[in-house]
Amino acid sequence: MDESPTSGRLPTIAASIFVVCCLLASAKLVIDTPGPGSLKEDEVARRSDQRFAALKAELPQQGIVGYVGESGNRAVGDYYLAQYALAPLVVEHSPNHSLVVGNFLASPPEIPPDNLRLVKDFGNGVLLFASKDAR
Amino acid sequence: MGLALTAVTFCLASGYVIVAWGWPRRSSAFPDLLLRAWLATGYGVGLFSVIFFVARVLGLAHLIVADVGVLGLVVAAFFLLRARDMPPDAPRSSEENSRFPQWFGRILTASLAITLGAALYSAVMRALAHPHGEGWDAFAIWNLHARFLFRGGEHWRDGFSTLIPWSHPDYPLLLPAAVAHFWTYLGRESQAAPAIIGLVFTFSTVGLLYSALFILRGREQAMLAAIALLSTPTFIAQGTWQYADVPLSFFFLATVALLCLHDDGSREGAAQRFRGLLVLAGLAAGLGAWTKNEGVLFLAAIIVGRQWTAGRNLGKSTTLAGYTGALLAGIAPTFVLVAYFKHFVAPAGDLFSNPATMLHRVMEPARYWAIIQWFVKEFFRFGGWVIPGTVLMVGLYFAAGKDDRRTRETGFRTSVVALALTMAGYLAVYLITPYDIYWHLRSSLPRLFLQLWPSAVFLFFLGLKGGSCRAGMGHP
């Protein structure tokens, strides 16, 4: 033993207060936790894998495809989720590719974006375009 | 299911053998076993990740052959190296002088059980509520990389394309490659893999904190520290987010704890016997660099900190060279791996893309002021506590005082210097960031604090006077 134990109320009182505050934080942790009744459908799977399943089956196994989508708050997330679903294809946010994924959850365009022609409408705002220059 | 269990067995067994390799003694004491088990999970997942990445680079089709080969090599090396003398565990002294009254020990035990139960409940429910992780980085970075590695076959490098810079293709691959390795055994993608890895790292970090402090400072100090970490809401929540920050915090803590255990053990001589702990510390630091870019910064900070404090404390250059050599021996394998990844696979990172603009930013005093303000604010609001945990710890420090002997030790000082240098490095990155500084601070500063939090809690309770006094690593 290389340290003599010392006694004192102050450290015990301070440690007790510390533990009580830790228990309070634990209570907060539990309160903020989603309960069994609030478990909902997984939004990431719904907006990515489920949404793009049919399109993925018709795209090549690897390579690069383009992407066009909506603007607004959700647009960036929608694009990331499209890439997440379609990996290992690289999905570049650009219409300058022979195949271009269209992602229009709110309102599909009435006419295809410039220089693109519609190949297939998979429903639910998921479209596949091809470049007019590509054969 | 059978193959999944095989994968878990390979992972844990290889991790355990690595830890046993560097361990200085045969011991069946509970804290010792516990510490080795927690370390084994981290090293096991780390090695699993490395095997997958190397197999991808070499184009190996049969991963299980690579696993069996690596496990065989590790076990063979273990038996060859362990042929040297290894002292058995001496009878452990059961004497434990506590500074606290007995009733307080019972309160601590009950509180630990409550906080552990609350943390487990919260972590599992959060993992179930968000199977793809919570927050964007899980699917936009970590799990996306895992998908590229798993689905990509021979085209796995496509995932590190400059066409998708937002996915941070320069981020290291410990987490994605480990997830992809488990998926390969399962034969399909299952969100259970990243979710369980997240939970394992979260609770292994708590277990590592508890068992290392148990050995160094006794049960009560260990329980106080574990309670503090388990009741940090942000730590438990982030552990389920499928981000790499909690795994990184595990490797930071493992490095720091092993350095302190090494110094504790070699204090009374027989330093050679404890060199294995330095190698393990280096390996943990290296795996941190394979987890996130911040790990590279920490690795550099540990080397600098070690040179600085060990040089001052040890004096003899031969001893210092031995220390540094052992640490570097552990760092080297993963350093080579990270260097290969950065040079041959990953594109350049976004932070250092424009040196001229960086210099301009460094000259702006307003940026310094903004960063310091945010760091101070984060100090008070970090963790999501009801009353800030950092403030509580300051109060506890003033009430209990500092253990002068512990805080003078090389391992302790090295670790404090390393954490301080890492924090300074974070500050410097904000200074030069090409992003909007407020957005960058808001989106990442709490996670940077989180990476250092378990190590800070460990060092705080290690250096705090009080608790019980155990014999430590050198006197089992």
Side-chain angles (χ1 to χ4, degrees), chain B residues 7 47 55 145 147 164 186 232 263 316 343 358 407 428 465 468:
Chain B
L47 183 64
H145 290 169
R147 284 188 169 190
I164 44 174
L186 285 170
T232 306
D263 287 0
K316 289 182 196 166
H343 190 72
M358 273 162 51
T407 53
K465 199 180 209 173
S468 46

Side-chain angles (χ1 to χ4, degrees), chain B residues 13 17 28 54 74 78 93 106 156 216 221 241 279 286 293 316 318 361 413-414 432 444 447 453 460:
Chain B
V17 177
S28 55
V54 173
V74 171
F78 170 75
S93 164
R106 286 194 288 273
W156 62 274
L216 290 168
Q221 210 91 329
W241 280 31
V279 179
N293 287 339
K316 289 182 196 166
T318 48
R361 290 192 184 106
R413 289 188 168 188
T414 300
I432 58 161
S444 62
R447 285 185 289 115
W453 181 240
F460 176 80

Side-chain angles (χ1 to χ4, degrees), chain B residues 100-129:
Chain B
F100 298 116
Q102 258 190 341
W103 60 265
F104 188 68
R106 286 194 288 273
I107 284 182
L108 280 182
T109 307
S111 302
L112 180 61
I114 291 169
T115 50
L116 178 61
L120 277 169
Y121 168 78
S122 179
V124 171
M125 291 309 296
R126 284 167 193 268
L128 289 173

Side-chain angles (χ1 to χ4, degrees), chain B residues 17 27 32 58 60 67 114 126 163 223 236 243 250 261 297-298 304 306 311 352 390 423 426 438 450 456 467:
Chain B
V17 177
S27 171
D32 238 51
L58 298 178
L60 298 179
D67 285 337
I114 291 169
R126 284 167 193 268
L163 297 176
M223 283 198 288
I236 301 301
Y243 285 24
F250 172 90
L261 285 163
L297 176 63
F298 177 76
V304 172
R306 191 75 194 171
F352 306 99
T390 44
M423 191 61 107
Y426 293 165
Y438 294 104
L450 184 79

